[in-house]
Amino acid sequence: MSKFTVQTLFRPEVLALSAYHVADAHGFIKLDAMENPYSWSDELKQTWLARLKDCPLNRYPDPEARELTATLKNLNQLPDGIDVLLGNGSDEIIQLLLMALPPNSHVLSTTPSFVMYKQISDSLGLNYHGVSLRADNLDLDLAAMLAAIEQHNPAIIFLAYPNNPTGNLFDINAINQIIDAANGLVIIDEAYEPFANSSFMNRVANNVLVMRTVSKLGLAGLRLGYIAGERAIIEQLHKIRLPYNINVLTQSSVQFALKHKEIFTEQTAAICSERALMLTALNSLNGIIAYESLANFILFKTPENQATRIFEAIKARGVLIKNVHPQGGLLTDCLRVTVGTPDENQAFLQALKSAL
Ligand SMILES: *Cc1c(COP(=O)(O)O)cnc(C)c1O
């Protein structure tokens, strides 16, 4: 007989969680996860492979990933005194930030927003608060945000800029007022910066940190995120990260990819022009309201009580998107589609049309 029960072994907040569900995309046109649909030329792949050949797999990676960190600091023109911490995806950085907080701390973000802020806060037993966005324009409800800051005194505020899953950039003036009102850290999560042309990177100082990832840019498989902030803050986070959190293949491959940044510039430009075409196409459909997006995905509203049926019908035609309707609130009746290649987008639009 077992001496323990799972129910008594683990923290109640862990038992209460449901696992982050990732749909099985095998065999589908995959427009569910904000991936860049384009790959590299064979020639570029050959050069990359030649470089990987010399990666010492028998050795631990550089624990500080010095070369890559220097490249990222350089690319972002960070001034002295601002440091960078790398993570196994920005997901890991969210986890590190939250792990460093005292027990019972409060964490604030918007509803809807990136689900990992709440998921990780909950798993650590922190107090998470999501303030609803404005129903009329999906922007920050500044008065409600300021009231929540006053009430909960959050140790960390997460603002996704552009926001996932709404795709919009929040009002800069409102963000500035939130930064001024906050006694804790404000994390501007710029996962979609390559598609947005707007950034807080030059505002990093004091309690403002900017987080980025190479995932949406086109390197999701490598798992690399980073955060820029005051040295005194980054220093503390380094103490709790695992020593070799960025593996040698990722360090070498991202370094290589960033040397060839122009491919991503081309690819993201292609995605942005497809985004404009998709938005027009979606809004021309009877019953569909698509929201303006500055990311590589589009949120759209379907006729009442139809979202799940339409999602399944699109899936039955071989296209996987994301059903965000179950999240409720402002996402009721909504679906989210990643901008893919022109062919993929056409397949999606055809599937949607036949589902309506
Ligand atoms: C996708 C996403 C992330 C996670 O990125 P990874 O680096 O792949 O972990 C972080 N924040 C937002 C808003 C995202 O949409």
Side-chain angles (χ1 to χ4, degrees):
M1 209 183 79
S2 174
K3 290 184 185 157
F4 67 89
T5 65
V6 167
Q7 268 63 30
T8 55
L9 192 64
F10 295 118
R11 282 182 284 115
E13 51 268 30
V14 175
L15 298 170
L17 285 179
S18 31
Y20 182 72
H21 176 68
V22 178
D24 180 5
H26 193 78
F28 286 96
I29 292 178
K30 196 170 182 311
L31 299 179
D32 66 327
M34 283 76 121
E35 292 144 326
N36 174 340
Y38 300 107
S39 66
W40 298 351
S41 68
D42 278 346
E43 192 192 349
L44 195 63
K45 281 184 191 165
Q46 285 305 328
T47 323
W48 166 61
L49 284 174
R51 178 182 171 113
L52 287 191
K53 196 154 67 63
D54 295 326
C55 274
L57 297 185
N58 55 323
R59 303 289 178 199
Y60 282 104
D62 175 355
E64 260 83 57
R66 275 164 297 195
E67 196 187 355
L68 183 54
T69 304
T71 300
L72 290 169
K73 283 181 79 167
N74 217 351
L75 275 177
N76 290 295
Q77 302 176 323
L78 294 174
D80 280 348
I82 300 300
D83 258 346
V84 163
L85 173 97
L86 310 190
N88 186 345
S90 37
D91 287 348
E92 188 188 30
I93 297 172
I94 298 168
Q95 188 181 49
L96 285 173
L97 285 162
L98 294 172
M99 271 168 47
L101 299 182
N104 302 316
S105 292
H106 292 259
V107 178
L108 185 71
S109 187
T110 62
T111 301
S113 193
F114 184 47
V115 293
M116 293 313 285
Y117 307 148
K118 179 178 191 309
Q119 174 88 1
I120 298 173
S121 297
D122 287 350
S123 76
L124 294 169
L126 302 171
N127 303 296
Y128 180 88
H129 310 278
V131 173
S132 187
L133 297 176
R134 287 166 49 156
D136 57 343
N137 60 5
L138 302 178
D139 207 333
L140 292 167
D141 182 339
L142 182 59
M145 287 298 285
L146 294 177
I149 291 170
E150 177 89 28
Q151 187 187 350
H152 303 299
N153 195 24
I156 290 187
I157 301 172
F158 288 103
L159 296 174
Y161 185 84
N163 189 39
N164 171 8
T166 53
N168 56 326
L169 289 170
F170 296 141
D171 180 62
I172 292 180
N173 193 31
I175 295 179
N176 284 332
Q177 291 193 53
I178 289 167
I179 290 169
D180 286 345
N183 294 311
L185 303 180
V186 179
I187 313 298
I188 311 290
D189 181 349
E190 297 189 349
Y192 300 98
E193 181 274 339
F195 312 95
N197 286 320
S198 185
S199 171
F200 277 74
M201 197 54 102
N202 64 5
R203 290 284 320 275
V204 174
N206 304 316
N207 66 335
V208 180
L209 292 89
V210 167
M211 188 165 67
R212 296 258 182 98
T213 174
V214 299
S215 295
K216 312 305 167 26
L217 185 65
L219 299 169
L222 292 176
R223 308 303 299 130
L224 185 87
Y226 59 100
I227 189 165
E230 291 266 1
R231 181 158 300 147
I233 297 168
I234 299 297
E235 216 166 60
Q236 300 303 319
L237 298 175
H238 269 294
K239 296 184 194 167
I240 55 168
R241 76 169 167 86
L242 296 175
Y244 305 107
N245 63 333
I246 313 301
N247 74 70
V248 67
L249 297 177
T250 295
Q251 290 188 30
S252 180
S253 300
V254 176
Q255 180 71 27
F256 172 81
L258 293 178
K259 261 201 212 143
H260 299 270
K261 247 183 355 86
E262 65 286 351
I263 36 171
F264 299 113
T265 311
E266 258 172 50
Q267 293 177 348
T268 52
I271 291 167
C272 289
S273 41
E274 271 298 302
R275 176 180 72 196
L277 297 176
M278 274 257 259
L279 191 77
T280 310
L282 279 167
N283 276 325
S284 73
L285 297 177
N286 231 340
I288 299 291
I289 300 167
Y291 297 96
E292 200 72 50
S293 167
L294 285 146
N296 63 341
F297 59 85
I298 294 175
L299 181 76
F300 61 98
K301 201 169 207 137
T302 59
E304 212 176 322
N305 290 324
Q306 303 285 314
T308 298
R309 182 192 64 75
I310 292 171
F311 166 78
E312 292 296 346
I314 292 171
K315 195 172 164 190
R317 290 186 152 244
V319 183
L320 185 65
I321 63 169
K322 176 86 177 174
N323 183 6
V324 292
H325 166 78
Q327 294 181 43
L330 295 177
L331 297 179
T332 302
D333 300 321
C334 287
L335 302 174
R336 187 194 69 199
V337 61
T338 304
V339 179
T341 64
D343 284 353
E344 291 174 333
N345 300 336
Q346 279 313 313
F348 156 71
L349 287 167
Q350 286 310 318
L352 172 61
K353 267 179 213 165
S354 66
L356 285 175

